[in-house]
Amino acid sequence: MERISWNQYFMAQSHLLALRSTCTRLTVGATVVRDKRIIAGGYNGSIAGGVHCIDEGCYVIDNHCIRTVHAEMNALLQCAKFGVPTEGSDIYVTHYPCVQCCKALIQAGIKTVYYAKDYKNHPYAIELFKQAGVKTEQVPFNGLTISSLEE
Protein backbone atom coordinates (compact mmCIF):
# COMPACT_ATOMS: atom_id res chain seq x y z
CA MET A 1 0.00 0.00 0.00
CA GLU A 2 1.33 3.43 -0.95
CA ARG A 3 0.94 6.29 1.52
CA ILE A 4 -0.33 9.69 0.50
CA SER A 5 2.19 12.54 0.33
CA TRP A 6 2.59 15.03 3.17
CA ASN A 7 0.96 17.69 0.98
CA GLN A 8 -2.05 15.46 0.35
CA TYR A 9 -2.25 14.57 4.04
CA PHE A 10 -2.32 18.19 5.22
CA MET A 11 -4.66 19.25 2.41
CA ALA A 12 -7.04 16.44 3.41
CA GLN A 13 -7.00 17.86 6.94
CA SER A 14 -8.00 21.27 5.54
CA HIS A 15 -10.85 19.73 3.57
CA LEU A 16 -11.99 17.91 6.70
CA LEU A 17 -11.95 21.20 8.64
CA ALA A 18 -14.01 22.83 5.88
CA LEU A 19 -16.80 20.38 6.69
CA ARG A 20 -17.24 22.33 9.96
CA SER A 21 -17.81 25.64 8.13
CA THR A 22 -21.03 27.47 8.89
CA CYS A 23 -20.99 29.80 5.86
CA THR A 24 -23.41 28.84 3.09
CA ARG A 25 -21.54 30.74 0.35
CA LEU A 26 -18.22 28.86 0.49
CA THR A 27 -16.72 26.30 2.86
CA VAL A 28 -13.02 26.75 3.54
CA GLY A 29 -10.54 24.97 5.80
CA ALA A 30 -6.96 25.84 6.75
CA THR A 31 -4.22 23.89 8.50
CA VAL A 32 -1.04 25.50 9.85
CA VAL A 33 1.95 23.15 9.77
CA ARG A 34 5.48 23.42 11.13
CA ASP A 35 8.08 20.67 10.74
CA LYS A 36 5.45 18.25 9.38
CA ARG A 37 3.31 18.73 12.51
CA ILE A 38 -0.14 20.33 12.61
CA ILE A 39 -0.06 23.29 14.98
CA ALA A 40 -3.51 24.79 14.28
CA GLY A 41 -6.59 24.50 12.13
CA GLY A 42 -9.49 26.71 11.22
CA TYR A 43 -12.60 26.95 9.11
CA ASN A 44 -14.75 29.88 8.06
CA GLY A 45 -17.58 30.63 10.42
CA SER A 46 -18.97 33.15 12.85
CA ILE A 47 -17.35 34.31 16.06
CA ALA A 48 -17.54 31.83 18.92
CA GLY A 49 -21.06 31.84 20.31
CA GLY A 50 -22.32 34.09 17.53
CA VAL A 51 -25.11 33.75 15.00
CA HIS A 52 -24.14 31.53 12.06
CA CYS A 53 -24.90 31.90 8.35
CA ILE A 54 -26.48 28.43 8.35
CA ASP A 55 -28.94 29.71 10.97
CA GLU A 56 -29.82 33.20 9.75
CA GLY A 57 -28.19 33.56 6.34
CA CYS A 58 -25.08 35.38 5.26
CA TYR A 59 -24.62 39.05 6.19
CA VAL A 60 -23.44 40.36 2.82
CA ILE A 61 -21.95 43.80 2.22
CA ASP A 62 -20.20 44.63 -1.06
CA ASN A 63 -20.61 41.01 -2.17
CA HIS A 64 -18.73 39.68 0.92
CA CYS A 65 -20.18 37.90 3.93
CA ILE A 66 -18.98 39.93 6.90
CA ARG A 67 -20.44 37.51 9.45
CA THR A 68 -17.66 34.98 8.94
CA VAL A 69 -14.09 34.85 10.13
CA HIS A 70 -12.02 33.32 7.34
CA ALA A 71 -10.40 29.91 7.87
CA GLU A 72 -6.85 31.26 7.60
CA MET A 73 -7.60 33.95 10.17
CA ASN A 74 -9.21 31.45 12.54
CA ALA A 75 -6.12 29.22 12.32
CA LEU A 76 -3.74 32.14 12.94
CA LEU A 77 -5.89 33.45 15.79
CA GLN A 78 -5.89 30.00 17.38
CA CYS A 79 -2.08 30.15 17.40
CA ALA A 80 -2.15 33.64 18.91
CA LYS A 81 -4.70 32.64 21.57
CA PHE A 82 -2.61 29.70 22.75
CA GLY A 83 0.85 31.23 22.27
CA VAL A 84 1.96 29.04 19.38
CA PRO A 85 4.52 30.75 17.11
CA THR A 86 3.78 30.74 13.37
CA GLU A 87 7.11 32.10 12.09
CA GLY A 88 8.46 29.78 9.38
CA SER A 89 5.29 27.67 9.20
CA ASP A 90 3.30 26.58 6.16
CA ILE A 91 -0.44 26.76 5.66
CA TYR A 92 -2.69 24.43 3.67
CA VAL A 93 -5.91 26.07 2.51
CA THR A 94 -8.77 24.65 0.45
CA HIS A 95 -8.99 27.92 -1.57
CA TYR A 96 -6.54 30.64 -2.58
CA PRO A 97 -6.46 33.28 0.19
CA CYS A 98 -8.14 36.68 -0.15
CA VAL A 99 -6.10 39.89 0.11
CA GLN A 100 -6.82 40.38 3.82
CA CYS A 101 -5.81 36.81 4.68
CA CYS A 102 -2.77 37.15 2.43
CA LYS A 103 -1.58 40.14 4.47
CA ALA A 104 -2.21 38.33 7.76
CA LEU A 105 -0.32 35.24 6.57
CA ILE A 106 2.66 37.36 5.55
CA GLN A 107 2.69 39.21 8.88
CA ALA A 108 2.44 35.91 10.77
CA GLY A 109 5.62 34.66 9.09
CA ILE A 110 4.03 31.92 6.97
CA LYS A 111 6.64 30.82 4.42
CA THR A 112 4.54 28.68 2.05
CA VAL A 113 0.85 28.75 1.15
CA TYR A 114 -0.44 25.50 -0.31
CA TYR A 115 -3.94 25.73 -1.78
CA ALA A 116 -6.22 23.25 -3.51
CA LYS A 117 -8.44 25.50 -5.63
CA ASP A 118 -8.07 28.85 -7.30
CA TYR A 119 -10.68 31.26 -5.95
CA LYS A 120 -10.75 34.85 -7.13
CA ASN A 121 -6.95 34.96 -6.94
CA HIS A 122 -6.53 38.71 -6.53
CA PRO A 123 -3.55 40.16 -8.44
CA TYR A 124 -2.57 42.24 -5.39
CA ALA A 125 -2.48 39.14 -3.16
CA ILE A 126 -0.27 37.42 -5.73
CA GLU A 127 1.99 40.50 -5.82
CA LEU A 128 2.17 40.73 -2.01
CA PHE A 129 3.13 37.07 -1.65
CA LYS A 130 5.92 37.59 -4.21
CA GLN A 131 7.07 40.80 -2.51
CA ALA A 132 7.26 39.05 0.86
CA GLY A 133 8.97 35.95 -0.52
CA VAL A 134 6.06 33.71 0.41
CA LYS A 135 5.88 30.70 -1.87
CA THR A 136 2.47 29.63 -3.18
CA GLU A 137 1.80 26.18 -4.58
CA GLN A 138 -1.35 24.54 -5.81
CA VAL A 139 -1.85 21.04 -4.44
CA PRO A 140 -4.46 19.15 -6.46
CA PHE A 141 -6.84 17.30 -4.19
CA ASN A 142 -8.85 14.27 -5.31
CA GLY A 143 -11.65 14.81 -2.84
CA LEU A 144 -12.96 13.75 0.50
CA THR A 145 -16.50 12.68 1.14
CA ILE A 146 -18.39 11.57 4.20
CA SER A 147 -19.05 8.20 2.56
CA SER A 148 -15.32 7.62 2.10
CA LEU A 149 -14.83 8.34 5.81
CA GLU A 150 -17.44 5.74 6.81
CA GLU A 151 -15.86 2.89 4.87
Side-chain angles (χ1 to χ4, degrees):
M1 179 175 97
E2 189 174 325
R3 297 191 305 171
I4 62 173
S5 71
W6 284 112
N7 283 348
Q8 288 290 310
Y9 173 75
F10 295 127
M11 192 59 73
Q13 176 68 34
S14 294
H15 282 286
L16 189 60
L17 283 161
L19 294 174
R20 292 279 308 153
S21 173
T22 60
C23 186
T24 57
R25 293 168 51 100
L26 183 69
T27 60
V28 180
T31 305
V32 182
V33 174
R34 186 177 51 246
D35 300 325
K36 292 190 173 48
R37 299 289 180 261
I38 295 170
I39 62 172
Y43 53 86
N44 58 329
S46 301
I47 61 167
V51 173
H52 295 280
C53 299
I54 57 173
D55 299 325
E56 294 191 15
C58 291
Y59 185 179
V60 179
I61 295 179
D62 295 330
N63 204 29
H64 290 94
C65 178
I66 64 166
R67 188 184 308 277
T68 61
V69 179
H70 288 190
E72 302 94 321
M73 294 298 285
N74 267 327
L76 292 178
L77 291 167
Q78 184 181 56
C79 288
K81 184 175 183 177
F82 295 106
V84 178
T86 54
E87 181 71 35
S89 297
D90 301 321
I91 193 164
Y92 290 78
V93 190
T94 56
H95 296 77
Y96 195 88
C98 71
V99 174
Q100 295 303 320
C101 287
C102 161
K103 292 187 286 185
L105 294 169
I106 291 167
Q107 292 300 93
I110 299 295
K111 66 178 183 177
T112 307
V113 174
Y114 296 97
Y115 65 98
K117 297 178 187 170
D118 288 312
Y119 182 74
K120 300 180 183 179
N121 302 24
H122 198 283
Y124 189 53
I126 294 166
E127 179 186 329
L128 286 175
F129 280 141
K130 284 181 186 174
Q131 234 177 32
V134 174
K135 181 182 168 191
T136 59
E137 182 180 325
Q138 189 167 18
V139 175
F141 187 72
N142 296 336
L144 178 68
T145 62
I146 297 296
S147 63
S148 67
L149 294 175
E150 293 174 348
E151 294 175 7

